[in-house]
Amino acid sequence: MTENVVHLHKDPDPAAADTRPGLIVVPDVPAPPLWVRSGRAVKRIATDERTTTAARAVARHTLYVAGGARIVARRTWDGRTAARYERMLRAAEAAGNYEAAAEWEERGQHFREARHRRRMDLLHSPVDAAKSVLVGTGMGIGSLVALGVVLAIANKDITDVITPISAVIDFIALIIRIVQVVWGPAVTIGPFLALLALWSVGRHQQAAPHWALPANVRNSEGEPITPSIVVKALRDLGIPALRNAIKEMGDAGASMLSPIVIAGCGVEVDVTLPSGVSTDEIQKRRRKLAENLTRHEHEVFITIPPAARTVRLWIADSGALDEPIGPSPLVTDESLTAQYKTGKAPWGQDLRGDAAALSLYQRHLLITGLSNQGKTAALRALALWLALDRTVEFRIADLKGAGDWAMFEGLATVLIQGPTDDHVIQATEMVEDAVEEMNRRMEERKRDPMAEFPPLICIVDEAQVAFMCPAVDEDRRPYGGQRATSRYFMAVRKVHNQGRVVNVLMYQGTQDPTDQNLPKLVREGAHTRAALALGTESQARMALGDKAVDGGAAPQLLRQGLDKGTLVVASDGITIPVGQSSITVRTHYISDDEATAIADRAKALRDGVTTLHVIERGEEHDPLADIASVFGETQRLVTQDVLKRLSMLNPDAYGRWTFADLRRVLEGTGAEPYKSDGRMVVARDRVARALANRDGDGSASSVE
């Protein structure tokens, strides 16, 4: 079915209105004014890509001529005056090279003396030229007459005497006629040839604004880094003192630069800044400097070398940092083993492309960063290398519980996996057990200063969960927090204070650090501090310390999600270039399957390790009553015998007990272990008395 449509024009005749049923009357919309349509057309034409390209081309070639004229004028001025020597002299003085300054001053003086001699010679040149012309003319006429005489004798014709002179006159007339013919067109074409020459000079030097240059020049990302590019990038940073100093330098700023050397997947150059420009001003303009160098911000790193008033620029090849590095040697070399004391863990590559290896000997470790940036993978890679040393014992608490550490089953003596408060409680007790083991080793070290102990590595991944845990124990002591009563915080602090000397070490991984989830005393207790991508400079200072950040470390400038696994490391366990306080490392990624294979190799080096999942609790029992029951008729037992009998009594409850657990139960009861004949013992009567006193107070307790 079709509908009838009638357009109603302006001022219709009412009498002529069509009243047919089903008829749709649509009034005509008036057309926009002519000036509106013209304006739209002009805008469309002006913004068309072809129009902008043509306008840019016209502006570019016009400015090439102006730029070429400026360059030619500058070269002419330099050639006719001592300006070049003056600039080089000022540049040498600005660089503090007074020997070179004196040499340039001497060269300038020689130039002025030679120029004076040439000018004095010009005063006598007209007279000398006139004399030369007269002498030359006379000799020339005489030669021509002699030649004519010879021709006349030879031809026996007296008129041949003037033939050579007539020939010369005719030749001069020909030259004059040629000049008369060429002069007009030459005068007309000459200016155009001059403009063409100036255009050629300007085009060769790209003497036009950046916006007017061809697209392939404007978008020339990844072009090789040259001294002129570096100086121009520094000049355009917007620092007046730096810009003026470069203008005054005779070599246009080249004296500021050290030789540009290839450094891995980029180049490196030291820049000596002129007086009045601080290194901090350059660091604050990293993004602008990178853009001036036709690089992205993450492809330019600024550090402070030992030399005063100097910055070191490392400039990556365009796109090189977005390419992955090779696999870890732990994956490619199945024969690789570890040595805790003398070896270094193959962690990745630095920006130069050199292998970055980290010594873990007696160094506490802290790795932090934003979520999902590769923190666990970086921490696990170090643990996997250590696992290839069969003397190393691991106690691990993974407070994320996603299975990232599952391959350490049968390798770690303790493996806690989960994010709940119960898991935090068990992780806290694990660290407290490490403190007790540390104290035991310290006591043994007092008796035997030469005693050596195998490494005990406590790893807590997602440690911020422990610091933020709200749970409290039966004595109302919090597990989380950062006060003197906070159990996890104090246990970590004790390990940090004394653990390294007896090889009890603390490795922690945290995310998104704050003063609440990563207390100051804990983060400063780590010898090796590493940070992945962070959000702010204040977080970078928490993660690495003020010294590293002031020296150029900037994990907050790493790209979240794109720079996964890239760490900024501050440690004396890794080789850091002289004068720098940190180094950037791109770590090898080890997948879960590869980690499992490495862990299996580590297990093969051991006789077999029983992993305790301390979150699994058994039935209720009374430790003090069980201790009293193992004495039998014996009045005193050595603490080791007490532990053995408890283990036989209830293997599930006491199979993993240590001296620290025994002392914790007896502490404050009056039945604490004491020394007798040089050995720690427990008295049956004291335990019985403590048990009777406790039961009399109605304070009997049991433990799951």
Side-chain angles (χ1 to χ4, degrees), residues 523-556:
R523 60 184 186 248
E524 291 187 350
H527 303 97
T528 296
R529 300 166 72 172
L532 296 114
L534 291 172
T536 63
E537 182 179 326
S538 62
Q539 287 185 320
R541 292 184 181 276
M542 291 180 193
L544 300 175
D546 291 337
K547 180 181 179 182
V549 174
D550 291 339
Q556 74 276 11

Coordinates of all heavy atoms in Angstrom, one line a residue, residues 523-556:
R523 N 60.0 -2.5 55.5 CA 60.5 -2.3 54.2 C 62.0 -1.8 54.3 O 62.8 -2.1 53.4 CB 59.7 -1.3 53.4 CG 59.5 0.1 54.0 CD 58.6 1.0 53.2 NE 58.5 2.3 53.6 CZ 57.5 2.9 54.1 NH1 56.4 2.2 54.3 NH2 57.5 4.2 54.5
E524 N 62.4 -1.1 55.3 CA 63.8 -0.7 55.4 C 64.7 -1.8 56.0 O 65.9 -1.7 56.0 CB 63.9 0.6 56.3 CG 63.3 1.8 55.6 CD 63.5 3.1 56.4 OE1 64.0 2.9 57.5 OE2 63.2 4.1 55.9
G525 N 64.1 -2.9 56.4 CA 64.9 -4.0 56.9 C 65.3 -4.9 55.8 O 66.2 -5.8 56.1
A526 N 64.9 -4.8 54.6 CA 65.2 -5.6 53.5 C 66.5 -5.1 52.8 O 66.7 -3.9 52.6 CB 64.1 -5.7 52.4
H527 N 67.5 -6.0 52.6 CA 68.7 -5.6 51.9 C 68.5 -5.5 50.4 O 69.2 -4.7 49.8 CB 69.8 -6.7 52.2 CG 70.0 -6.9 53.6 ND1 69.4 -8.0 54.3 CD2 70.8 -6.3 54.5 CE1 69.8 -7.9 55.6 NE2 70.6 -6.9 55.8
T528 N 67.7 -6.3 49.8 CA 67.4 -6.2 48.4 C 65.9 -5.8 48.3 O 65.0 -6.4 48.7 CB 67.6 -7.6 47.7 OG1 69.0 -7.9 47.8 CG2 67.2 -7.5 46.3
R529 N 65.8 -4.6 47.6 CA 64.4 -4.1 47.4 C 64.2 -3.9 45.9 O 65.0 -3.3 45.2 CB 64.3 -2.7 48.2 CG 64.5 -2.9 49.6 CD 64.7 -1.5 50.4 NE 63.5 -0.8 50.4 CZ 63.4 0.4 51.2 NH1 64.5 0.8 51.8 NH2 62.3 1.0 51.2
A530 N 63.1 -4.4 45.5 CA 62.7 -4.4 44.0 C 61.3 -3.9 43.9 O 60.4 -4.3 44.7 CB 62.9 -5.7 43.4
A531 N 61.0 -3.2 42.8 CA 59.7 -2.6 42.6 C 59.3 -2.8 41.1 O 60.1 -2.5 40.2 CB 59.6 -1.2 43.0
L532 N 58.1 -3.4 40.9 CA 57.6 -3.4 39.5 C 56.8 -2.1 39.3 O 57.1 -1.1 40.0 CB 56.6 -4.6 39.4 CG 57.3 -5.9 39.5 CD1 56.9 -6.6 40.8 CD2 57.1 -6.8 38.3
A533 N 55.9 -2.0 38.4 CA 55.2 -0.8 38.1 C 54.4 -0.3 39.3 O 53.7 -1.1 40.0 CB 54.2 -1.0 36.9
L534 N 54.6 0.9 39.7 CA 53.9 1.5 40.8 C 53.1 2.7 40.4 O 53.3 3.2 39.2 CB 54.8 1.9 41.9 CG 55.5 0.8 42.6 CD1 56.6 1.3 43.6 CD2 54.5 0.0 43.5
G535 N 52.2 3.2 41.2 CA 51.3 4.3 40.8 C 51.9 5.7 41.0 O 51.6 6.6 40.2
T536 N 52.7 5.9 42.1 CA 53.1 7.3 42.4 C 54.6 7.2 42.9 O 55.1 6.2 43.2 CB 52.3 7.9 43.6 OG1 52.5 7.1 44.8 CG2 50.8 7.9 43.2
E537 N 55.2 8.4 42.9 CA 56.6 8.6 43.4 C 56.7 8.2 44.8 O 57.7 7.7 45.3 CB 57.1 10.0 43.1 CG 58.5 10.2 43.5 CD 59.1 11.5 43.2 OE1 58.7 12.1 42.2 OE2 59.9 12.0 44.0
S538 N 55.6 8.6 45.6 CA 55.7 8.2 47.0 C 55.7 6.7 47.3 O 56.4 6.2 48.2 CB 54.5 8.8 47.8 OG 53.3 8.3 47.3
Q539 N 55.0 6.0 46.4 CA 55.1 4.5 46.5 C 56.5 4.0 46.1 O 57.0 3.1 46.7 CB 54.0 3.9 45.6 CG 52.6 4.0 46.2 CD 51.6 3.3 45.3 OE1 51.7 3.3 44.1 NE2 50.7 2.6 46.0
A540 N 57.1 4.7 45.1 CA 58.4 4.3 44.7 C 59.4 4.5 45.8 O 60.3 3.7 46.1 CB 58.8 5.1 43.5
R541 N 59.2 5.6 46.6 CA 60.1 5.9 47.7 C 59.9 4.8 48.8 O 60.9 4.4 49.5 CB 59.9 7.3 48.3 CG 60.4 8.4 47.3 CD 60.2 9.7 47.8 NE 60.6 10.8 46.9 CZ 61.9 11.1 46.7 NH1 62.9 10.6 47.4 NH2 62.2 12.0 45.8
M542 N 58.7 4.4 49.0 CA 58.4 3.3 50.0 C 59.1 2.0 49.6 O 59.7 1.3 50.4 CB 56.9 3.1 50.1 CG 56.1 4.2 50.8 SD 54.4 3.7 50.9 CE 53.7 5.3 51.3
A543 N 59.0 1.7 48.3 CA 59.5 0.4 47.8 C 61.0 0.4 47.8 O 61.6 -0.6 48.1 CB 58.9 0.2 46.4
L544 N 61.7 1.5 47.3 CA 63.1 1.4 47.0 C 63.9 2.3 48.0 O 65.2 2.2 48.0 CB 63.4 1.9 45.6 CG 62.7 1.0 44.5 CD1 63.0 1.6 43.1 CD2 63.3 -0.4 44.5
G545 N 63.3 3.3 48.6 CA 64.0 4.2 49.4 C 64.3 5.5 48.7 O 64.3 5.6 47.5
D546 N 64.6 6.6 49.5 CA 64.8 7.9 48.9 C 66.0 8.0 48.1 O 66.1 8.6 47.0 CB 64.9 8.9 50.1 CG 63.5 9.1 50.8 OD1 62.5 8.8 50.1 OD2 63.5 9.6 51.9
K547 N 67.1 7.3 48.5 CA 68.4 7.4 47.8 C 68.2 6.9 46.3 O 68.7 7.5 45.4 CB 69.4 6.6 48.5 CG 70.8 6.6 47.8 CD 71.8 5.8 48.5 CE 73.2 5.8 47.8 NZ 74.2 5.0 48.5
A548 N 67.5 5.7 46.2 CA 67.4 5.2 44.8 C 66.5 6.1 44.0 O 66.9 6.3 42.8 CB 66.8 3.8 44.9
V549 N 65.4 6.6 44.5 CA 64.6 7.5 43.7 C 65.3 8.8 43.4 O 65.2 9.3 42.2 CB 63.2 7.7 44.5 CG1 62.4 8.7 43.7 CG2 62.5 6.4 44.6
D550 N 66.0 9.4 44.3 CA 66.7 10.6 44.0 C 67.8 10.4 43.0 O 68.2 11.3 42.3 CB 67.3 11.1 45.3 CG 66.3 11.7 46.3 OD1 65.2 12.0 45.8 OD2 66.6 11.7 47.5
G551 N 68.3 9.1 42.9 CA 69.3 8.8 41.9 C 68.8 8.4 40.6 O 69.5 8.1 39.7
G552 N 67.4 8.5 40.4 CA 66.9 8.3 39.1 C 65.9 7.1 39.0 O 65.3 6.9 37.9
A553 N 65.8 6.3 40.0 CA 64.9 5.1 40.0 C 63.5 5.6 39.9 O 63.1 6.5 40.6 CB 65.1 4.2 41.2
A554 N 62.7 5.1 38.9 CA 61.4 5.6 38.7 C 60.4 4.4 38.3 O 59.9 4.4 37.2 CB 61.4 6.6 37.6
P555 N 60.2 3.5 39.2 CA 59.2 2.4 38.9 C 57.8 2.9 38.6 O 57.0 2.3 38.0 CB 59.2 1.5 40.1 CG 59.7 2.4 41.2 CD 60.7 3.4 40.6
Q556 N 57.5 4.2 39.1 CA 56.2 4.7 38.8 C 56.0 5.1 37.4 O 54.8 5.3 36.9 CB 55.9 6.0 39.7 CG 56.7 7.2 39.3 CD 58.1 7.3 39.9 OE1 58.6 6.3 40.4 NE2 58.7 8.4 39.8

